[in-house]
Amino acid sequence: MSDPTKRKQETASPIAETKKLRVHGEKESNVLMWFRTDLRLTDNRAFASALEIARAYAKEGTSHLFALFIVSPGEWKEHGVSDIRVDFLLRNVQKLHASLKQAAIPLIIEEAQSPNEIPEIVFKVCQKYSIFGVFHNIEYEVNEARRDASTRTLLQNNGIFVRADHDQCGIKPGEVLAQSTGKPYVVFTPFKNKWLQMVTKDPTHLKIANCTLDLKQDELRTLYADIFDKEPPTSVEGFTLEPSKAKMAQTLYPAGEEEAQARLENFASLRLADYKSKRDFPAQPGTSILSPYLAAGVISARQCLARAAKENKSKYERGKEGINTWIVEIVWRDFYRHVLVAFPRVSKSLPFKLETKDIEWSDNKEHFKAWTEGKTGYPIVDAGMRQLLSTGWMHNRVRMITAMFLTKDLLINWQWGEKHFMKHLVDGDLASNNGGWQWSASTGTDAQPYFRIFNPTTQSINFDPSGEYIRRWVPELASITDSKAIHDPYSHMGTFNFLKLGYPKPIVEHSLQRKLALNIYSKVFKKQP
């Protein structure tokens, strides 16, 4: 169990320490909030820390709060970030700029062609604007951690205070440990149980950060008019959406905290109670579709949990079944971040279960191409893949179906699929995407090593019984009214009628591929299927 006293010390105000580092005299001593994947002004722990310091020293009339966002196409390319995700990020930066402008906080926009340029960019901003303290939230991926470590070293070597807050998770990574061993959990269910126990016993884990915008710095509007008047970029070379898709993205995923909060409120008040019974049916509006906003940090997991608890009589467990189920989904998000921190190899495109490096994957590029284009001959798989290509999002149940089809039916390396998803997802997030893919491929944190294999047709019958989802995304099958044929037209329609559809026949036979997969996996795990 974590020690609340120790955590209180860790999160204590840094005012005493910053006093030693402030520049006094003719120069101002300003504060900088460095935004990244935390594009919000509410419940933002680093922003709350920056506000606290700026507020304290503003009384002396010598300190102001500035903000920074670095457009980083080189970093995005390295991570395979999708065009639609970059579009979403930039639209949210524009909303952030407007909100900061209203609060008289200048948002400085810089651009880094390579991640290696970022430390120097931050340092130069500090020099130009007389910054004595830089505040940011921690990003847990290996490359991001290295970038931040380099930045911290450069700044601290030049007498600049740096504070990094844990913000992405409900509970700080490294604190949810097995009581018997003191080690991180590698299976979800015991992690979940411990996580729920901890937040129930100590609700301060999920305390909403105070981000009251009460600074008095209106004079900056005149002093730094060039910053206030400069709008953030609407696009970046190499990440351009075609006009029709850009318009679609704006419609499906409007930017800004106000939109995120409205979605949360709508979901919590109208659909949360029925979440467990409806979440697995892709044709129904049973999920929140908050994942793009969580991935970009436009809303926090704590805000989501607080709203769920409000509907659940302030409980995180032992309440309404639908609400508890949604809370557990947010705990999954925490779990994958904790795994990423405890086992950095998952950030390096390595399997969690190292022995699975020896799986004899197929390198059938034609099969992979058919999967990416939604032309496998399995309607539920193809519907999901086409939804992804069209909208940048896919229903979670269908993500599992399509991922397991690639890894267990086509026996193609999960890393290929992981990269393809990141290339197209508006909510692309390394920890969650990697965790989901490794779960499906049985290379990750799972009590069942390899024998979970979805039958795509059975999944389709169970979770899209009327075929509504399939008809929406696979127009070749829209005319099929037979409830059996819609899930497996090749087997239930005569050859002539099937060929008229213009839809591909199945590229593999599931029953045969299942046996092959069990055989291949059993060699790696040295167990009998």
Short mmCIF file of all heavy atoms in Angstrom, two decimals, residues 473-494:
data_model
loop_
_atom_site.label_atom_id
_atom_site.label_comp_id
_atom_site.label_asym_id
_atom_site.label_seq_id
_atom_site.Cartn_x
_atom_site.Cartn_y
_atom_site.Cartn_z
N TRP A 473 -20.53 -0.81 -43.12
CA TRP A 473 -19.15 -0.63 -43.54
C TRP A 473 -18.72 -1.51 -44.71
O TRP A 473 -17.65 -1.28 -45.29
CB TRP A 473 -18.21 -0.86 -42.36
CG TRP A 473 -18.40 0.19 -41.30
CD1 TRP A 473 -18.96 0.04 -40.07
CD2 TRP A 473 -18.06 1.57 -41.41
NE1 TRP A 473 -18.99 1.24 -39.40
CE2 TRP A 473 -18.44 2.20 -40.21
CE3 TRP A 473 -17.47 2.34 -42.42
CZ2 TRP A 473 -18.26 3.56 -39.98
CZ3 TRP A 473 -17.28 3.70 -42.20
CH2 TRP A 473 -17.67 4.29 -40.98
N VAL A 474 -19.53 -2.50 -45.06
CA VAL A 474 -19.21 -3.34 -46.22
C VAL A 474 -20.40 -3.26 -47.18
O VAL A 474 -21.29 -4.12 -47.16
CB VAL A 474 -18.94 -4.81 -45.79
CG1 VAL A 474 -18.44 -5.63 -46.99
CG2 VAL A 474 -17.92 -4.86 -44.66
N PRO A 475 -20.43 -2.24 -48.01
CA PRO A 475 -21.60 -2.01 -48.86
C PRO A 475 -21.90 -3.14 -49.84
O PRO A 475 -23.05 -3.31 -50.26
CB PRO A 475 -21.26 -0.72 -49.60
CG PRO A 475 -19.79 -0.55 -49.47
CD PRO A 475 -19.42 -1.19 -48.17
N GLU A 476 -20.88 -3.96 -50.18
CA GLU A 476 -21.14 -5.09 -51.07
C GLU A 476 -22.15 -6.07 -50.46
O GLU A 476 -22.82 -6.81 -51.19
CB GLU A 476 -19.85 -5.87 -51.36
CG GLU A 476 -18.70 -5.05 -51.90
CD GLU A 476 -17.74 -4.65 -50.81
OE1 GLU A 476 -18.16 -3.95 -49.87
OE2 GLU A 476 -16.56 -5.05 -50.89
N LEU A 477 -22.25 -6.05 -49.14
CA LEU A 477 -23.13 -7.00 -48.45
C LEU A 477 -24.43 -6.36 -47.96
O LEU A 477 -25.23 -7.00 -47.30
CB LEU A 477 -22.39 -7.62 -47.25
CG LEU A 477 -21.02 -8.24 -47.54
CD1 LEU A 477 -20.43 -8.85 -46.27
CD2 LEU A 477 -21.13 -9.29 -48.64
N ALA A 478 -24.63 -5.09 -48.30
CA ALA A 478 -25.78 -4.35 -47.78
C ALA A 478 -27.11 -4.95 -48.22
O ALA A 478 -28.12 -4.81 -47.52
CB ALA A 478 -25.71 -2.89 -48.20
N SER A 479 -27.13 -5.63 -49.35
CA SER A 479 -28.39 -6.18 -49.88
C SER A 479 -28.76 -7.51 -49.25
O SER A 479 -29.88 -8.01 -49.45
CB SER A 479 -28.29 -6.34 -51.40
OG SER A 479 -27.27 -7.27 -51.73
N ILE A 480 -27.86 -8.12 -48.48
CA ILE A 480 -28.14 -9.43 -47.88
C ILE A 480 -29.09 -9.25 -46.70
O ILE A 480 -28.82 -8.50 -45.76
CB ILE A 480 -26.83 -10.11 -47.41
CG1 ILE A 480 -25.90 -10.36 -48.58
CG2 ILE A 480 -27.14 -11.41 -46.68
CD1 ILE A 480 -24.57 -10.96 -48.19
N THR A 481 -30.19 -9.93 -46.75
CA THR A 481 -31.18 -9.85 -45.66
C THR A 481 -31.16 -11.07 -44.76
O THR A 481 -31.66 -11.03 -43.64
CB THR A 481 -32.60 -9.68 -46.25
OG1 THR A 481 -32.87 -10.77 -47.14
CG2 THR A 481 -32.72 -8.37 -47.01
N ASP A 482 -30.58 -12.16 -45.25
CA ASP A 482 -30.52 -13.39 -44.47
C ASP A 482 -29.58 -13.20 -43.28
O ASP A 482 -28.41 -12.82 -43.45
CB ASP A 482 -30.02 -14.53 -45.35
CG ASP A 482 -30.07 -15.87 -44.64
OD1 ASP A 482 -29.21 -16.08 -43.76
OD2 ASP A 482 -30.95 -16.69 -44.94
N SER A 483 -30.07 -13.48 -42.08
CA SER A 483 -29.29 -13.21 -40.87
C SER A 483 -28.10 -14.15 -40.72
O SER A 483 -27.16 -13.85 -39.97
CB SER A 483 -30.19 -13.32 -39.63
OG SER A 483 -30.74 -14.63 -39.53
N LYS A 484 -28.10 -15.28 -41.41
CA LYS A 484 -26.94 -16.18 -41.37
C LYS A 484 -25.94 -15.81 -42.46
O LYS A 484 -24.73 -15.77 -42.22
CB LYS A 484 -27.39 -17.64 -41.55
CG LYS A 484 -28.15 -18.20 -40.37
CD LYS A 484 -28.48 -19.67 -40.57
CE LYS A 484 -29.22 -20.25 -39.36
NZ LYS A 484 -29.55 -21.70 -39.56
N ALA A 485 -26.45 -15.50 -43.64
CA ALA A 485 -25.57 -15.22 -44.77
C ALA A 485 -24.74 -13.96 -44.56
O ALA A 485 -23.61 -13.87 -45.04
CB ALA A 485 -26.39 -15.11 -46.05
N ILE A 486 -25.27 -13.00 -43.86
CA ILE A 486 -24.55 -11.73 -43.68
C ILE A 486 -23.23 -11.94 -42.95
O ILE A 486 -22.26 -11.21 -43.16
CB ILE A 486 -25.43 -10.69 -42.93
CG1 ILE A 486 -24.77 -9.30 -42.96
CG2 ILE A 486 -25.68 -11.13 -41.50
CD1 ILE A 486 -24.70 -8.68 -44.31
N HIS A 487 -23.14 -12.96 -42.09
CA HIS A 487 -21.94 -13.22 -41.32
C HIS A 487 -20.95 -14.12 -42.07
O HIS A 487 -19.75 -14.08 -41.78
CB HIS A 487 -22.29 -13.87 -39.98
CG HIS A 487 -23.24 -13.05 -39.17
ND1 HIS A 487 -22.89 -11.87 -38.58
CD2 HIS A 487 -24.57 -13.25 -38.87
CE1 HIS A 487 -23.93 -11.36 -37.94
NE2 HIS A 487 -24.97 -12.17 -38.11
N ASP A 488 -21.46 -14.89 -43.02
CA ASP A 488 -20.59 -15.82 -43.76
C ASP A 488 -21.21 -16.06 -45.14
O ASP A 488 -21.69 -17.15 -45.44
CB ASP A 488 -20.46 -17.13 -42.99
CG ASP A 488 -19.50 -18.10 -43.64
OD1 ASP A 488 -18.80 -17.70 -44.62
OD2 ASP A 488 -19.43 -19.26 -43.19
N PRO A 489 -21.20 -15.05 -46.00
CA PRO A 489 -21.90 -15.17 -47.29
C PRO A 489 -21.32 -16.27 -48.18
O PRO A 489 -22.07 -16.90 -48.94
CB PRO A 489 -21.71 -13.79 -47.92
CG PRO A 489 -20.54 -13.18 -47.23
CD PRO A 489 -20.60 -13.73 -45.84
N TYR A 490 -20.05 -16.54 -48.08
CA TYR A 490 -19.43 -17.54 -48.95
C TYR A 490 -20.00 -18.93 -48.69
O TYR A 490 -20.17 -19.73 -49.63
CB TYR A 490 -17.92 -17.55 -48.73
CG TYR A 490 -17.17 -18.50 -49.63
CD1 TYR A 490 -17.05 -18.26 -50.99
CD2 TYR A 490 -16.60 -19.68 -49.11
CE1 TYR A 490 -16.36 -19.14 -51.82
CE2 TYR A 490 -15.91 -20.56 -49.92
CZ TYR A 490 -15.80 -20.28 -51.28
OH TYR A 490 -15.13 -21.16 -52.09
N SER A 491 -20.31 -19.23 -47.42
CA SER A 491 -20.82 -20.55 -47.06
C SER A 491 -22.33 -20.66 -47.21
O SER A 491 -22.85 -21.77 -47.35
CB SER A 491 -20.44 -20.89 -45.61
OG SER A 491 -19.04 -20.91 -45.44
N HIS A 492 -23.05 -19.54 -47.17
CA HIS A 492 -24.50 -19.59 -47.14
C HIS A 492 -25.18 -19.13 -48.43
O HIS A 492 -26.41 -19.14 -48.51
CB HIS A 492 -25.03 -18.76 -45.97
CG HIS A 492 -24.75 -19.36 -44.63
ND1 HIS A 492 -23.57 -19.15 -43.95
CD2 HIS A 492 -25.49 -20.21 -43.86
CE1 HIS A 492 -23.61 -19.81 -42.81
NE2 HIS A 492 -24.76 -20.46 -42.72
N MET A 493 -24.41 -18.74 -49.40
CA MET A 493 -24.98 -18.32 -50.68
C MET A 493 -24.40 -19.21 -51.78
O MET A 493 -23.27 -19.66 -51.70
CB MET A 493 -24.66 -16.85 -50.97
CG MET A 493 -25.20 -15.89 -49.92
SD MET A 493 -24.71 -14.17 -50.22
CE MET A 493 -25.73 -13.78 -51.65
N GLY A 494 -25.18 -19.45 -52.79
CA GLY A 494 -24.66 -20.21 -53.92
C GLY A 494 -23.53 -19.45 -54.59
O GLY A 494 -23.41 -18.23 -54.46
#
